[in-house]
Amino acid sequence: MSRSFTGSLSLITVALLSTLSNPSHAQSAPLQVAQPLEQLTVFGKRNPLNTAPGSAHQLTQADLDTFKYSDILRTLASIPGVYIQEEDGFGLRPNLGMRGTGQNRSEKITIMEDGVLAAPAPYASPAAYYFPTSGRMQSIEILKGSSTVKYGPRTTGGVINLISRQIPDAPLAGQIEVAAGQHGYGKLHTYAGGQGERVGALVDLYRYQADGFRTINGVGGDSGFSKNDALAKLSIRSDENSLQPQMLEIKLKYSDESSNETYLGLTDADFAANPYQRYSASQRDLMTTEHKQLQINHLIDLSPNLTLGTTAYYNAFARNWYKTSKVGGKSISGSGTQLAADFDKDPLAGDLSVDVKANNREYLSQGLQTELNWLLDNHELALGARYHEDEMDRFQWVDKYTLEADQQMRLDTAGIPGTDSNRLDSAQALALYLQDKIQWGQFNLTAGLRYETVETRRLDWGKSNIGREGEPNKDIRNSFSALLPSLSVTYQLDEHWLLLTGVQKGFSPAAPGNRDRKEEQSWNYEAGARFNSGELNAEAILFYSDYSNMHGNCTAAQGCNDDNIGNQYNGGEVDVNGLEFSLDYTINQGKSLSFPLKLAYTYTNAEFDNSFTSDFDSWGDVEAGFKLPYLPENMLFASVAMETENWQLTLAARYTSEIRTQAGNGHIPSEQLIEAKTIVDLSGRYHIARDHELYLTAENLFDTDYVTTKIHGSNFAGKPLSVTMGYRYQF
């Protein structure tokens, strides 16, 4: 393997020998999970999960431990109403959506880590080419519906909040986890920390890597990745006898990534012959990233009923995706892919020109947010504010290569940075919200009002003014504001049944590249019921979103024309309706054996209500009644487990119905069809001692060949059967 992980295997061996020398009884003894600050979470004492006025789900540490996924897409497959669109097979650049919003780079939903916006530039450039490393998270919260009014800027679909590792409550606690598997996969995750009388600290290190499961024609090479993630926290608490207890927490995070990923997929014929090949024209494709974060949290109890939480944050993200854009002078969205395929079939037929574009960008996201919580009789008031700034700086170029008979690429002309794209998109935003939760007998009313004002700007110096001297060629400014009300009602029918309903005005700000400068707006409705009774928990919710205008963002991830990338298009009126259903049930066979069952189902119908013509490739010429692209009508997740005190065996399956890649109706042409698929995963865990665990996972157990996406009109394969063995020690 090009990225050796033999050290991990050695560590497993040493740990096993140490364990076997200690004949203590093998029992599961998970660490007591420290609870995060409630100001950074969606759920908590102020908003209990079981009574949340909307579709509410939480993946706990126990849930995340079942399969120990490092891929957020597989992690979230068990949540109804969350759409996942795989791409690279490892979840490096997730495509997530909720309630018909679309999934492209998770740009249409609100992604947070510890209560802070996680996208590199959530206003100026919402497509998230950075996503927090989900494998190091302690829990994940998912909320949809009218109660998301506190979380913006996108309030239509929902919010995902990833909770990072918290400082342990104990004086010293932590873990060491190592894993190795097929396709050169390896993982090392270790953390340690503790809480003293007033000072606490934590260090969390996470590295994972793979050689990849695709082979580059003619040259072999690495199609995998490596990613490092380091987190440190320091907290200081006031004296326990203080009249106004307070706490200060400082969070520092650094991550980097090197991944040999491409947008050059396979033709239908080549996918059918070997879905795990890659054309030699993609051999130089490489993404490098670096992310830095500083977050400072302060919490003070001004009185027993009045709490103020404040967070300052700074995120810097840089990435350069160096990837093939043209082959033989033709775009890979056009005939370039076919030219790459033809060359690999007969390399001696003649040399081939290849353009490799350096999609070089730097992002900045920073701000200050605060929330005041006031308990007043039967009212729970939350008053919040956030000032935010972000920007995306594009400084790109194109290198020109010749692909020769030996299938090696030789550099002909090195591009000059800034000569392909040379612009700066920026945004400033102020958000204010007020939410009141009112208890009235068996009724709970949650009324909210959010105000958002945004200013955006695009400075474009063109391809010839790389020094950015003088005035830019284009200086496009826009400002707009929105007032967003919401109301939800729950009724506790009895100790088991909760009825809920809600309405909310949805909003997404117009990006700097929106020619018409129109915001995305919608009215969103939901109604359903929740049942909780010991071993059985279920939730069923009907939802309906009435868009007066829907956005489509043009990115390379959707195969957009190079000249249109960064533009935002307006689709006008859209109707989205559907059903979300989830069920958890545990069958207990005495104290020593249980069978946990899980089920999640989502039905979605999403249609355009108007006819129009768009330069946005995924829409094109739209007629009223056309279905939205990349939205499956049916999604189903089911899992069954067998558990004892010492071991657990879990089988999980996820079904996704067929998907169309371009707006349309009726029969889906083969070139626009992603066929339905069912993927099965298996996990086995065994506690060989109180603090020692061995596990074995098999992703895509039946080695199913399937298409994940058809960006640029070509096919990308999902990850084949991948078996991983790991060991974890907790202390």
Side-chain angles (χ1 to χ4, degrees), residues 477-610:
R477 305 179 191 221
N478 191 24
S479 62
F480 47 88
S481 59
L483 194 62
L484 310 169
S486 70
L487 177 66
S488 61
V489 181
T490 65
Y491 178 69
Q492 193 73 48
L493 190 62
D494 57 31
E495 62 177 331
H496 302 304
W497 283 98
L498 179 79
L499 306 181
L500 61 90
T501 187
V503 59
Q504 169 201 37
K505 187 175 183 181
F507 166 79
S508 286
N514 191 310
R515 183 178 59 187
D516 299 324
R517 306 179 183 184
K518 293 178 64 176
E519 310 96 277
E520 181 177 276
Q521 296 190 25
S522 63
W523 281 100
N524 310 294
Y525 309 87
E526 65 179 347
R530 187 177 296 134
F531 179 83
N532 292 290
S533 177
E535 288 80 16
L536 176 61
N537 300 290
E539 179 181 279
I541 295 179
L542 294 167
F543 64 89
Y544 171 61
S545 296
D546 181 10
Y547 287 83
S548 57
N549 183 49
M550 172 178 273
H551 283 161
N553 295 305
C554 189
T555 67
Q558 288 195 322
C560 276
N561 184 288
D562 286 349
D563 294 334
N564 295 333
I565 289 177
N567 291 342
Q568 187 179 72
Y569 298 94
N570 301 297
E573 298 178 6
V574 175
D575 277 351
V576 180
N577 58 77
L579 166 69
E580 300 170 359
F581 175 76
S582 62
L583 181 145
D584 291 346
Y585 180 52
T586 300
I587 303 173
N588 290 309
Q589 298 291 322
K591 295 182 179 180
S592 60
L593 181 63
S594 62
F595 297 88
L597 308 174
K598 291 187 178 182
L599 186 69
Y601 171 72
T602 306
Y603 167 78
T604 309
N605 179 53
E607 298 180 354
F608 288 98
D609 274 354
N610 48 246

Side-chain angles (χ1 to χ4, degrees), residues 179-238:
Q182 289 180 282
H183 318 301
Y185 179 80
K187 178 177 72 174
L188 171 63
H189 182 203
T190 181
Y191 68 84
Q195 180 67 52
E197 184 176 345
R198 294 183 56 188
V199 177
L202 169 81
V203 174
D204 188 347
L205 303 175
Y206 192 98
R207 175 185 170 89
Y208 66 123
Q209 62 190 47
D211 292 338
F213 53 86
R214 299 183 178 96
T215 301
I216 303 174
N217 293 341
V219 296
D222 191 342
S223 64
F225 72 95
S226 62
K227 187 171 182 179
N228 300 295
D229 201 309
L231 168 72
K233 291 184 178 181
L234 175 69
S235 68
I236 304 174
R237 302 175 184 270
S238 61

Side-chain angles (χ1 to χ4, degrees), residues 11-229:
L11 186 54
I12 293 176
T13 303
V14 171
L16 286 175
L17 291 174
S18 174
T19 300
L20 293 175
S21 66
N22 182 2
S24 59
H25 185 56
Q27 292 182 344
S28 173
L31 290 177
Q32 184 68 32
V33 178
Q35 297 303 307
L37 298 176
E38 195 152 332
Q39 74 180 99
L40 307 179
T41 65
V42 173
F43 308 119
K45 294 180 181 178
R46 296 191 305 269
N47 187 29
L49 178 68
N50 290 337
T51 60
S55 175
H57 297 270
Q58 183 178 34
L59 296 172
T60 65
Q61 183 71 74
D63 296 323
L64 300 177
D65 282 345
T66 299
F67 281 92
K68 296 181 172 62
Y69 290 130
S70 56
D71 181 347
I72 185 64
L73 299 176
R74 279 181 153 84
T75 301
L76 293 176
S78 63
I79 305 300
V82 177
Y83 312 95
I84 63 174
Q85 186 63 49
E86 294 182 68
E87 185 177 320
D88 55 79
F90 294 103
L92 299 176
R93 276 161 286 285
N95 299 286
L96 296 165
M98 294 182 179
R99 293 188 171 176
T101 59
Q103 299 95 287
N104 182 38
R105 289 291 180 263
S106 310
E107 64 192 0
K108 303 292 286 293
I109 60 177
T110 297
I111 305 291
M112 303 187 299
E113 179 179 337
D114 294 332
V116 168
L117 296 175
Y123 286 84
S125 181
Y129 285 82
Y130 164 80
F131 199 92
T133 303
S134 61
R136 64 172 171 82
M137 297 302 163
Q138 177 174 301
S139 64
I140 301 175
E141 303 173 309
I142 304 97
L143 181 67
K144 303 182 291 292
S146 57
S147 54
T148 62
V149 69
K150 293 169 58 176
Y151 311 102
R154 288 160 183 83
T155 61
T156 299
V159 57
I160 297 175
N161 188 30
L162 300 104
I163 305 299
S164 68
R165 180 67 48 192
Q166 301 301 299
I167 297 174
D169 292 331
L172 178 63
Q175 78 165 31
I176 298 173
E177 180 182 356
V178 292
Q182 289 180 282
H183 318 301
Y185 179 80
K187 178 177 72 174
L188 171 63
H189 182 203
T190 181
Y191 68 84
Q195 180 67 52
E197 184 176 345
R198 294 183 56 188
V199 177
L202 169 81
V203 174
D204 188 347
L205 303 175
Y206 192 98
R207 175 185 170 89
Y208 66 123
Q209 62 190 47
D211 292 338
F213 53 86
R214 299 183 178 96
T215 301
I216 303 174
N217 293 341
V219 296
D222 191 342
S223 64
F225 72 95
S226 62
K227 187 171 182 179
N228 300 295
D229 201 309

Side-chain angles (χ1 to χ4, degrees), residues 361-401:
R361 305 174 192 175
E362 293 184 357
Y363 299 81
L364 176 67
S365 175
Q366 59 187 2
L368 180 69
Q369 61 190 40
T370 187
E371 181 176 291
L372 181 69
N373 296 105
W374 187 15
L375 301 180
L376 182 64
D377 296 327
N378 62 335
H379 294 262
E380 294 184 26
L381 291 166
L383 177 63
R386 179 177 66 211
Y387 175 74
H388 175 90
E389 298 176 346
D390 64 42
E391 67 178 34
M392 176 195 66
D393 190 343
R394 295 167 62 106
F395 203 64
Q396 304 179 176
W397 65 93
V398 176
D399 292 338
K400 295 185 178 296
Y401 289 82

Side-chain angles (χ1 to χ4, degrees), residues 305-317:
N305 297 322
L306 194 63
T307 301
L308 178 65
T310 304
T311 297
Y313 58 91
Y314 169 85
N315 286 284
F317 178 66

